[in-house]
Structures are given as structure tokens and as C-alpha cells.
Amino acid sequence: MRSIIAIGVTIGFSAGALAAPGDMSADAVLGQSAFNTRIPDRPDGVPAANNFALSNAADVAIGPNGRLYVSDPENNRVLSWPSAAGYATGQPADQVFGQPGFTSNAPNNGGVGPSGLSLPQGVFVDASGNLWVTDAFDHRVLKFNNPQTDATPTTADLVIGQVDLFHNQENLGQGGSGPDVPLPDSLQFPGRVLVIGTDVWLADSGNSRVLHYTNVVADKPFADRVFGQFGNFFKRAKNNDGNGQNGFDASADNLLNPIGITVDATGSLYIADWGNHRILRYDNPILGDMTADEVIGQPDFVHRDVDSGGPALGLTLPIDLFLDAAGRMLVADSGNNRILLFSSPRTSVAADLVFGQFDSLSSDSPNHGLGETETDADGLFGPTGVALDTAGNLHVVDTNNHRVLRYDSPFAVAGDINCDGVRNGADVVALVQALTNPAAFAASHPGCDILHADLNGDLSVNGVDVTAFVALETGP
């Protein structure tokens, strides 16, 4: 048991109580005026600051300051809102990338350059607040220096996959046909990007490979690791058969149009192998382990069936991955119209929870059976992006319903006061701070509602919550 001093300070709040754990109905929606509408570019059929016309894949990312970014590919733009945890239903975006304003949507508006986009897919915000965008039809990844502090926030500052910010050649001009096209510095239709410290991971989806770069500081960097092509940077075979040719069979060494990527606390790499309906884990990728060590969604490395073993065990076109601080993995299982939660992906390949199907792991219908023309706060239709904010709220890009959904604190852990997904000694410090200095708590934990310290549910933080926290630590 950890000891803690009970401090009799009471702090009043006017906000409502936090959503209950296990609540799998959405609490807010962007892109639509209500949960039961699903009109693209609502209401006038043209782009605006409060709508989407999502097609193909789209993604969601949340910055360290809580700012929300969403890729809107059909409108050739990325939209941003100031608060992922705080947006209201139908709220307009306050920032746009790829377009000169909110009402235009031409690809590469103004020409190929640092301010245009053509079918952007993945978005990621690194620890410094820099925005990274996979600009799929321009065969490049763009880095925007922290848009909240940079003097030219919507002008990209660095490019991967092209010689400079004014080119968009497929595989650096080598084209996209044949198995021998790509290079360590070229790209074709990139899917997702992930940046952790000096490590940049990139799903080079069109070339059926995932690339790793170290310390990217200049245009057209060279990758130093490749996954899905038997370690060969000069192959682009789909399901590489081991001889560099397109194959019909899956293996632990090949990929078919991978998209989603994530890395856990141990450094293991997870890849959503979209075309093979599976997720692969690589346990020592930085050290050169380019053969997968575990598979989720298939009984072994050689199978690649749709819903292998049925929806309760299988996957269909998994497209996006997200790992939280507690090691739980969220999967956008797009072909099954759902989001899956794997509580312990390192030890169990079975999903524990599902969104979009009324908690039924055996269902896969669009909008939980409502069909393709109706939806509500519980439905999903081809979701392609998933993320958690620092308050533990789930955000889902519900692509075919032309919207983004927020689920408030669905995985809340009792006593997780600092919103990192686990209850530990850091929560003792956060509780004391919430009791004695609410302003310091807010500054230390942006986006984390101070009501996470209200453990007895009376909408105030006081000494009673200290007793409740101790009971959590000493209870069964």
C-alpha cells in the first residue's frame, strides 16, 4: 500500500460527470449536425469548415496539447480543431492544410508544392507538436513544423519520398509497375506515418512494405530498415514469394498493401497488413528482426482469409492501429465496420471489446444492422482511423458515414487520475495536485479532466477522494 496524506480541500465544478467505463455510444460528432445524419459535405455538397467528404482511407491524430487533426482525402485537405476532448457536435474546424481556405478542395491547389495535398491519408503529431501527413497521390510524406508556433503553419517544411517539396513522382520517377521499382528513398501511395523520438516509421502501402528512418532532418532521406520484402529495398512484390516476385501466399516475411502501424513500449512493431486481413508483430525491428513473430486475425502466418474463423476471431481489411500507455491496442477493422480493443496483444490474440456492433464480436454489418443509409451514435460503416486523447476519450474516423465520433472515457480506469491509462504512483502525485493546485494540475495534464480525481462521484475533489483512492489500492 502507498501512503498518502489526506488534504481537506474541496473544489467545486459545474461540469457533468464523466462518461461511465464501458459506454460504447458516441458522445460527440464532427462532420454532421447529429448522430443520425450521414451526408457527405453536409449540408450543401461543398466543402466547409464543419463537414467532410471522406473517401478511401482517412486518419485522426491528437497533438500533445490536445489539438485534433483529421485527414479529409476527397477534399484534399487536413482539418484541425483546438480540442479533441472538448469539441461540440458539428463544431467547425479552425485550421486547414492543403487548401487556401475551407471552401476549396482541388488536388494540389496552386500546383505541387509545400502547401498542397492530393488525397492525404495518415496524420500524426509527434512529441514536439510537428504534424506529419502522408500525401498519398503525391507519393510523399510532409512534415509541418509545429503549426501552433511556426510562422508559416500550413506550409510544409520537409518531405520524404521526393527530391524536394515541388515534386510528386511515383517511386522517384521509376513508376509503379513490376517488382523491382522502389528504392530506399522512394514511395508509392504511403498509408500511415508514426514518429517516436528520432524514429520515423512509414507504411509504403503501394510498395507493400514498411520503412524505418532514423533522425530525418532533410528532404529525401534514405530508409535503414524495410519490412515485407525480405529485407530488400529494391523489391515491391505483393506478398513477396521469397524470390522477389508477386506471390499468392502470405508468410512471416511478406505484406500486401500494409497501412496501419504502431510501436509498443518494448519497441515491438505492429503492422496492419490490410490485404492479408491480419496484424503482424515484430519484436526487435530496430535490431533488424524483419520476420514477424506473432500474427493476429489468422491462425498462422500462411493463411490470409477474410474473417478467418469467423468475425469473432478474424479480421477484414484492418487499416489503422493505436496503442495506449497501458499497452491496449485499438484496431480499425474497416471491412467489419467496427473498432476492436485488444487488452493484451502481446499475450492474447483475442479481442476483448468492440465498438460499432453493440458489443457483439460475431457481428459485422454496416451500422450494426441499420444498413448503409442509416446510422446513429452506436453505428460504424467502414471506420479507418482510431486514436485516444490524453483524457482517455476514443476518437474514430467513421469514413463511410462522413464523420468523426468521440466516445468519452470508455476505458476509464478507477484511480487513473493523470489519464495515462493505468493506476500507479504517478496518480498519487496527480491527486495531491488536483486537491491543492487545480491550475497546476491542468497545466501538467492537458486535456485530462480534473474530475478523474473525483473518485466518489460527488462532482468535487476533496479528502473523501483520498480515502477512495486508498481503498482502491488496498481493496481486492
Side-chain angles (χ1 to χ4, degrees):
M1 183 186 79
R2 303 180 185 92
S3 61
I4 185 168
I5 300 173
I7 304 173
V9 178
T10 300
I11 307 167
F13 302 93
S14 58
L18 294 172
D23 175 10
M24 287 173 283
S25 293
D27 297 282
V29 58
L30 294 176
Q32 302 291 333
S33 59
F35 289 113
N36 61 352
T37 62
R38 52 175 311 277
I39 304 170
D41 274 340
R42 180 182 176 86
D44 301 317
V46 295
N50 61 345
N51 60 26
F52 301 107
L54 301 176
S55 67
N56 298 307
D59 199 13
V60 56
I62 299 156
N65 63 349
R67 177 166 278 272
L68 178 76
Y69 297 86
V70 180
S71 59
D72 183 12
E74 191 171 275
N75 283 323
N76 300 294
R77 65 184 185 175
V78 171
L79 296 177
S80 182
W81 286 259
S83 174
Y87 65 73
T89 289
Q91 180 177 330
D94 68 345
Q95 196 169 34
V96 60
F97 301 79
Q99 298 294 334
F102 290 105
T103 57
S104 59
N105 65 358
N108 289 320
N109 203 324
V112 177
S115 300
L117 295 169
S118 184
L119 207 83
Q121 300 290 288
V123 286
F124 186 82
V125 185
D126 65 27
S128 298
N130 303 312
L131 172 66
W132 300 73
V133 179
T134 60
D135 187 15
F137 274 20
D138 285 328
H139 313 290
R140 63 183 186 174
V141 174
L142 299 176
K143 176 190 177 185
F144 297 81
N145 291 342
N146 191 328
Q148 309 316 308
T149 60
D150 191 59
T152 54
T154 60
T155 301
D157 300 279
L158 183 147
V159 63
I160 299 174
Q162 300 293 333
V163 296
D164 57 36
L165 289 159
F166 298 92
H167 285 78
N168 65 347
Q169 295 179 307
E170 187 176 10
N171 280 320
L172 290 172
Q174 300 299 309
S177 60
D180 303 324
V181 171
L183 301 166
D185 52 351
S186 71
L187 296 174
Q188 184 191 40
F189 306 124
R192 295 289 187 269
V193 61
L194 176 71
V195 183
I196 303 174
T198 61
D199 296 310
V200 177
W201 301 91
L202 174 56
D204 186 14
S205 305
N207 287 322
S208 290
R209 63 183 186 175
V210 169
L211 300 172
H212 172 269
Y213 307 78
T214 302
N215 197 28
V216 175
V217 295
D219 293 345
K220 202 174 77 67
F222 284 80
D224 52 30
R225 294 283 185 275
V226 58
F227 301 82
Q229 298 294 341
F230 288 84
N232 191 332
F233 285 105
F234 301 93
K235 297 294 181 180
R236 65 176 305 273
K238 299 181 184 299
N239 279 337
N240 191 319
D241 65 359
N243 296 309
Q245 302 300 311
N246 294 332
F248 296 101
D249 301 317
S251 76
D253 294 284
N254 64 25
L255 297 167
L256 178 57
N257 302 126
I259 299 178
I261 46 178
T262 192
V263 174
D264 68 17
T266 71
S268 292
L269 169 68
Y270 292 79
I271 297 175
D273 189 11
W274 182 80
N276 285 323
H277 314 291
R278 64 182 184 173
I279 297 165
L280 298 178
R281 190 185 80 224
Y282 304 76
D283 284 338
N284 294 291
I286 298 294
L287 298 179
D289 176 13
M290 289 172 277
T291 298
D293 297 284
E294 183 59 90
V295 60
I296 296 174
Q298 300 292 339
D300 51 43
F301 289 112
V302 300
H303 280 79
R304 52 181 303 267
D305 302 316
V306 171
D307 277 338
S308 184
L313 298 174
L315 300 167
T316 300
L317 303 174
I319 197 168
D320 199 37
L321 306 175
F322 185 92
L323 272 161
D324 71 3
R328 298 172 295 197
M329 185 169 68
L330 290 157
V331 178
D333 187 17
S334 61
N336 284 324
N337 307 295
R338 63 187 183 176
I339 301 295
L340 296 174
L341 173 73
F342 293 80
S343 296
S344 302
R346 295 194 66 86
T347 58
S348 174
V349 297
D352 303 284
L353 200 63
V354 60
F355 292 78
Q357 297 294 340
F358 278 139
D359 205 23
S360 172
L361 287 165
S362 61
S363 301
D364 59 5
S365 301
N367 292 311
H368 62 75
L370 292 176
E372 298 183 359
T373 60
E374 296 182 47
T375 193
D376 55 16
D378 299 290
L380 293 172
F381 184 15
T384 59
V386 60
L388 289 174
D389 63 31
T390 56
N393 303 316
L394 171 66
H395 301 263
V396 174
V397 181
D398 188 14
T399 301
N400 292 333
N401 284 325
H402 315 288
R403 64 184 186 174
V404 173
L405 299 173
R406 187 183 74 225
Y407 304 77
D408 291 341
S409 303
F411 314 125
V413 175
D416 175 24
I417 295 164
N418 66 348
C419 300
D420 65 356
V422 295
R423 186 178 74 244
N424 55 28
D427 294 301
V428 177
V429 177
L431 177 57
V432 172
Q433 197 173 46
L435 286 163
T436 61
N437 193 338
F441 177 91
S444 300
H445 311 289
C448 184
D449 196 320
I450 199 169
L451 284 179
H452 282 274
D454 172 29
L455 299 177
N456 71 333
D458 64 356
L459 297 184
S460 66
V461 178
N462 52 42
V464 177
D465 297 304
V466 175
T467 302
F469 187 90
V470 173
L472 286 172
E473 290 294 278
T474 58

